[in-house]
Amino acid sequence: MLADTAKAMQRVCFDSEPSEADLELLGSRERWLVYRSLVRTRLVGVIEAALPRTKAAIGHESLGRIIDEWLSTGGPRTRYFRNVPNELANFAIPMWRDTAEPWIADLARYEITSWSVRHAPPNRISDAAFSFEVRPVVATAVAVLRLDHRVNETPTPEDGYERDPVILCIHRNQEHRASHLVLNPLAADLLEAWQRGDETVSESVHRVAATHDTQISPAFIEKLSTLITTFIHRGILLGGHAPPS
Amino acid sequence: MRRRGFSFESRVMDREVTGIGIGLRYDLAVELLERRPETVSWVEIHPENYVDRGGRYQEMLDLARRDWPVITHGLSTCLGAVEPFDAGYLAQLGDFLRELEIPWHSEHLCLGQAGDRFFHDLLPLPFTEEAATIASQRLAEVRDAIGAPLALENVSYYAPQGTNGLAEVDFVVEVLERADAKLLLDVNNIYVNSRNFDFDPKAYIDKIPRERVVQIHVAGHHVRDDGLRIDTHGQPVPDDVYDLLSYTLQKVGAVPVLLERDNNIPPLDELLSEVDTLWSIYRSATEVTRAG
């Protein structure tokens, strides 16, 4: 039956070690090991393209072991080749948090977030200019990332990164590359509120400022204007939608 | 089910796909889109690389569409899997194809998925009645879902088939006839298979119903030290594949030919030199067809 054949192919390609029974079922041990190699080489290639610094930090063999472990859970669920590294990262980052140097998981999160932003969907269309009365529209290729280590700073130090928390806005720039801005906690909360888009700008500014015990003073307004200008200039903030009447 | 108010046939007339095309790939796109060589008549894309994706890929596609008709060639809706299709994806694909005004879409006659897991490679179907039944039903299902003409592509394979099935070409023709489908005939795949499994590639071509062929693929392949040929799309097209292309075009007439190059991508001029060779073969072979 074709279903049995397909399952045997899956096990041969993704199990830690292909079983002799499956290889016999499929009919040619040598040639099905060729398929196993072709399938795995392609997947490893795209993962290494997405996580080059993580690979350099933990080593080729260590990355290979965790890819093997992930594949042995059955293989990628995504039909999109570009999303294969995201599935590996979702599997590996919790493990790296527990077993690797403390900054490795942050580095992998930074790299996979940058990869995701590069390949994010096209922007939604806003139907109004940005103002305090609209619900803001933020570009799709924007992510707020809270890190315990400044792994965005390169090159990677010989002894790794010391703990030094930072919040980044990672976004797709005009050249379609991932770029980042360092945000303070209030700006990060504002941007996340604007990404949700369920409040007007005015509502979100008042709520977030109150959460941070911050007065809406002239100095605050000036900083907020600078932030908004930067976001608009970088294509992070696209405009807005008029709130429902 | 066809979507109302949309006619692929009428749009084909507007953006006719003929002659030699090239696969639009990230690594060659900058030079290709800047120079826009006139010898390239159309481009082919893999929709999975563009659906729901902005950034550079969106820009590449927008730029390509200014000058060239675009053909789509799917990677993940393989016709041989046994799982139900993802209706959401097929709807998304259909929307994407309508936006591109494609004259036809193609998918591989292979197994790319087991359960909810994807191989991201083209694994071979057994050439059995069961697989032919499944593939032909699925082909019709996809065709209805996307509302566009659908061609299947013959794939390369490396593992020998069991003795209880059909010959590869009979399997392909069986699926074509059952589904009343179009064929994207991959000449390099036939050549690779013929060398790996010792059959006459021209005899394969002779058995193909010519009226079903809407497009041809050519590419290069890798020859391993042990002689096994792997369809890498990473080398120049070899002379034997050019010869088989010439033979094929004389049989099927002037169907559009795509140069596939996915790996080890050389400077554009090297690819354009292959495009020139393809044009020369295309013109001579199709003149012979017309004269005959």
Side-chain angles (χ1 to χ4, degrees):
Chain A
M1 295 290 287
L2 188 55
D4 298 329
T5 306
K7 285 292 175 192
M9 290 178 185
Q10 182 187 12
R11 290 189 296 267
V12 162
C13 289
F14 297 134
D15 278 3
S16 301
E17 288 294 333
S19 78
E20 292 302 325
D22 283 332
L23 290 167
E24 192 176 330
L25 173 72
L26 294 176
S28 168
R29 185 178 197 287
E30 175 210 341
R31 295 292 174 86
W32 276 98
L33 291 179
V34 171
Y35 274 113
R36 175 181 165 88
S37 170
L38 290 172
V39 167
R40 297 172 78 91
T41 300
R42 233 172 107 66
L43 297 173
V44 169
V46 72
I47 290 166
E48 291 184 348
L51 303 172
R53 292 179 57 211
T54 306
K55 177 190 163 189
I58 65 172
H60 177 74
E61 284 186 14
S62 177
L63 181 62
R65 276 195 300 276
I66 205 148
I67 293 173
D68 286 349
E69 200 175 334
W70 167 64
L71 288 176
S72 71
T73 64
R77 283 192 166 88
T78 177
R79 71 172 62 244
Y80 298 111
F81 192 55
R82 64 181 180 271
N83 290 344
V84 167
N86 299 68
E87 290 193 8
L88 177 279
N90 288 341
F91 177 85
I93 287 171
M95 294 189 171
W96 285 328
R97 273 205 191 99
D98 292 341
T99 59
E101 293 291 320
W103 54 273
I104 295 288
D106 269 359
L107 177 57
R109 288 175 63 220
Y110 173 70
E111 287 199 296
I112 202 64
T113 305
S114 300
W115 176 266
S116 301
V117 157
R118 268 183 65 195
H119 303 296
N123 284 328
R124 292 165 291 167
I125 307 294
S126 61
D127 55 21
F130 184 85
S131 76
F132 280 80
E133 284 69 48
V134 299
R135 294 184 176 193
V137 174
V138 174
T140 51
V142 172
V144 176
L145 188 63
R146 291 173 170 79
L147 299 169
D148 289 330
H149 306 84
R150 295 184 180 247
V151 292
N152 52 301
E153 294 175 358
T154 55
T156 305
E158 287 260 321
D159 300 328
Y161 293 90
E162 296 294 324
R163 182 179 158 77
D164 185 7
V166 65
I167 307 175
L168 302 177
C169 161
I170 302 182
H171 67 97
R172 186 164 59 208
N173 65 19
Q174 306 267 341
E175 287 77 43
H176 310 301
R177 302 263 163 211
S179 182
H180 69 261
L181 287 169
V182 175
L183 300 181
N184 65 34
L186 191 151
D189 286 353
L190 265 181
L191 179 54
E192 286 177 324
W194 294 347
Q195 283 182 301
R196 288 192 298 274
D198 53 6
E199 299 168 292
T200 65
V201 174
S202 177
E203 288 165 348
S204 58
V205 167
H206 281 94
R207 182 182 57 75
V208 170
T211 306
H212 286 263
D213 290 327
T214 300
Q215 296 290 321
I216 301 184
S217 61
F220 174 87
I221 301 276
E222 191 178 330
K223 284 182 184 169
L224 180 63
S225 297
T226 303
L227 181 73
I228 290 169
T229 304
T230 302
F231 281 173
I232 291 173
H233 177 69
R234 289 193 174 223
I236 294 168
L237 206 42
L238 303 175
H241 290 310
S245 51
Chain B
M1 179 170 52
R2 293 276 175 138
R3 283 175 171 77
R4 282 173 292 178
F6 182 81
S7 162
F8 274 93
E9 290 73 14
S10 63
R11 295 186 180 194
V12 173
M13 301 305 290
D14 297 334
R15 293 175 76 84
E16 198 176 358
V17 176
T18 59
I20 310 301
I22 199 165
L24 182 63
R25 304 293 182 257
Y26 185 90
D27 289 341
L28 62 83
V30 169
E31 203 178 351
L32 182 70
L33 294 168
E34 269 178 20
R35 290 173 54 183
R36 298 176 177 271
E38 288 185 357
T39 53
V40 174
S41 298
W42 50 282
V43 298
E44 185 190 80
I45 63 161
H46 301 309
E48 287 85 347
N49 289 342
Y50 296 85
V51 166
D52 210 22
R53 189 182 204 175
R56 174 61 179 151
Y57 279 80
Q58 185 184 16
E59 181 184 66
M60 277 162 45
L61 183 55
D62 290 345
L63 290 171
R65 289 185 68 199
R66 286 187 195 169
D67 286 342
W68 287 306
V70 174
I71 291 284
T72 51
H73 181 47
L75 296 170
S76 68
T77 309
C78 295
L79 301 171
V82 294
E83 291 74 22
F85 284 116
D86 175 347
Y89 174 71
L90 288 184
Q92 209 173 8
L93 177 63
D95 291 343
F96 180 75
L97 302 183
R98 267 185 297 287
E99 170 69 24
L100 288 180
E101 304 176 2
I102 50 110
W104 62 81
H105 172 66
S106 59
E107 294 282 352
H108 296 91
L109 182 58
C110 73
L111 206 154
Q113 182 181 358
D116 62 348
R117 308 305 177 105
F118 288 85
F119 293 111
H120 293 280
D121 212 324
L122 311 172
L123 302 196
L125 283 168
F127 303 149
T128 59
E129 286 287 333
E130 181 203 13
T133 303
I134 289 170
S136 55
Q137 288 169 350
R138 287 171 69 85
L139 193 152
E141 198 180 332
V142 176
R143 188 171 52 202
D144 284 349
I146 63 175
L150 179 62
L152 66 81
E153 185 192 26
N154 56 297
V155 299
S156 51
Y157 65 102
Y158 314 119
Q161 291 277 328
T163 53
N164 59 343
L166 302 167
E168 184 201 349
V169 65
D170 296 329
F171 176 71
V172 171
V173 172
E174 182 74 17
V175 177
L176 285 173
E177 299 290 351
R178 286 189 192 204
D180 190 20
K182 305 294 184 190
L183 177 63
L184 191 179
L185 187 63
D186 191 313
V187 169
N188 179 58
N189 287 347
I190 295 171
Y191 180 77
V192 163
N193 294 347
S194 76
R195 294 300 302 268
N196 286 339
F197 296 104
D198 195 24
F199 63 80
D200 176 3
K202 290 181 179 172
Y204 185 123
I205 299 292
D206 290 344
K207 282 190 154 188
I208 293 294
R210 67 189 66 176
E211 70 281 2
R212 295 201 181 273
V213 181
V214 291
Q215 185 185 341
I216 289 174
H217 273 177
V218 290
H221 56 267
H222 172 64
V223 186
R224 300 196 333 168
D225 291 343
D226 63 2
L228 181 68
R229 287 164 196 262
I230 305 282
D231 178 34
T232 54
H233 301 175
Q235 284 76 28
V237 180
D239 287 345
D240 285 349
V241 172
Y242 282 132
D243 290 344
L244 189 59
L245 171 67
S246 174
Y247 182 81
T248 305
L249 285 170
Q250 288 176 44
K251 290 274 179 185
V252 304
V255 298
V257 176
L258 180 89
L259 174 63
E260 288 188 294
R261 189 66 181 256
D262 296 330
N263 295 298
N264 192 24
I265 291 181
L268 183 62
D269 282 332
E270 285 183 35
L271 289 182
L272 293 179
S273 163
E274 291 184 81
V275 167
D276 289 344
T277 306
L278 291 172
W279 270 114
S280 164
I281 292 167
Y282 182 86
R283 288 196 178 104
S284 345
T286 53
E287 274 165 19
V288 169
T289 311
R290 278 197 294 274

